[in-house]
Amino acid sequence: MNTVLKAAAAYLVVLFVIRLIGRRTASQQAPIDMVVLFLFGGLSVSAILGDDHSFTGAMSALFTVGLMHVSVSWLKLRFVWFERIVDGTPIVVYRDGDWDETNMRRLRMQQADVRTAARQQGLDDLQKVAVAIVERDGKVSVIEKEQAA
């Protein structure tokens, strides 16, 4: 039972820390971000299993993490406020030539990230961009200005 409780606690702690780190880790996967995610996994396994290297202990932890994931997914469907806590909300970082520096700092995002997203959508000039939004998954959506008729 100790392994089950540790696995449940580890799931919640890792979820919290990943939300704390921010959206960049989830979507852009720079090498340093991948290092952090791999370390989370290794440290979590060590913390959950400790000296218990049994098959039963590992399967109990795996089953518990799976159930935690299903439970969190169900709670997100049931309660909008819970979904906002776990997944966040879309955040506007650029609108009509103006950067929202407060949101950019909060997301630890650089203007280059938005420019990259614009280029990936075929927009080589930010003057063509109406709005850039950092989605809940960390991807940057760029909406082009409508062309005058």
Side-chain angles (χ1 to χ4, degrees), residues 3-57:
T3 300
V4 169
L5 295 175
K6 285 194 234 178
Y11 181 91
L12 293 174
V13 168
V14 169
L15 177 63
F16 173 76
V17 172
I18 287 175
R19 286 289 292 137
L20 188 67
I21 286 174
R23 298 169 192 215
R24 182 176 171 90
T25 302
S27 73
Q28 294 167 338
Q29 296 287 319
I32 192 167
D33 300 321
M34 292 177 67
V35 167
V36 169
L37 291 176
F38 281 117
L39 286 175
F40 280 172
L43 294 170
S44 297
V45 167
S46 297
I48 292 168
L49 295 176
D51 291 332
D52 182 2
H53 297 288
S54 69
F55 179 78
T56 305

Side-chain angles (χ1 to χ4, degrees), residues 27 31 60 70-71 79 95 99 104 131 133 143 149:
S27 73
S60 297
V70 169
S71 299
F79 302 105
R95 182 185 307 271
W99 295 97
M104 296 284 287
V131 67
I133 304 165
I143 300 170

Side-chain angles (χ1 to χ4, degrees), residues 16 28-29 60 67-68 71 76 83 94 110 112 145:
F16 173 76
Q28 294 167 338
Q29 296 287 319
S60 297
L67 280 177
M68 290 296 296
S71 299
K76 286 176 11 181
E83 179 186 21
Y94 178 86
Q110 300 172 359
K145 287 182 180 175

Side-chain angles (χ1 to χ4, degrees), residues 64 70 73 79 81 83 85-86 108 110 115 125-126 131:
T64 301
V70 169
S73 297
F79 302 105
W81 61 267
E83 179 186 21
I85 290 171
V86 172
R108 290 180 302 284
Q110 300 172 359
R115 286 188 177 93
D125 185 359
L126 285 182
V131 67

Side-chain angles (χ1 to χ4, degrees), residues 68-122:
M68 290 296 296
H69 187 67
V70 169
S71 299
V72 167
S73 297
W74 181 83
L75 287 169
K76 286 176 11 181
L77 287 173
R78 183 99 167 95
F79 302 105
V80 174
W81 61 267
F82 190 76
E83 179 186 21
R84 285 189 191 128
I85 290 171
V86 172
D87 289 339
T89 57
I91 298 172
V92 175
V93 293
Y94 178 86
R95 182 185 307 271
D96 296 322
D98 294 322
W99 295 97
D100 187 326
E101 294 297 333
T102 303
N103 283 343
M104 296 284 287
R105 270 192 306 278
R106 197 173 88 214
L107 293 169
R108 290 180 302 284
M109 187 164 230
Q110 300 172 359
Q111 291 181 8
D113 298 324
V114 175
R115 286 188 177 93
T116 298
R119 282 192 306 276
Q120 289 173 341
Q121 292 185 20

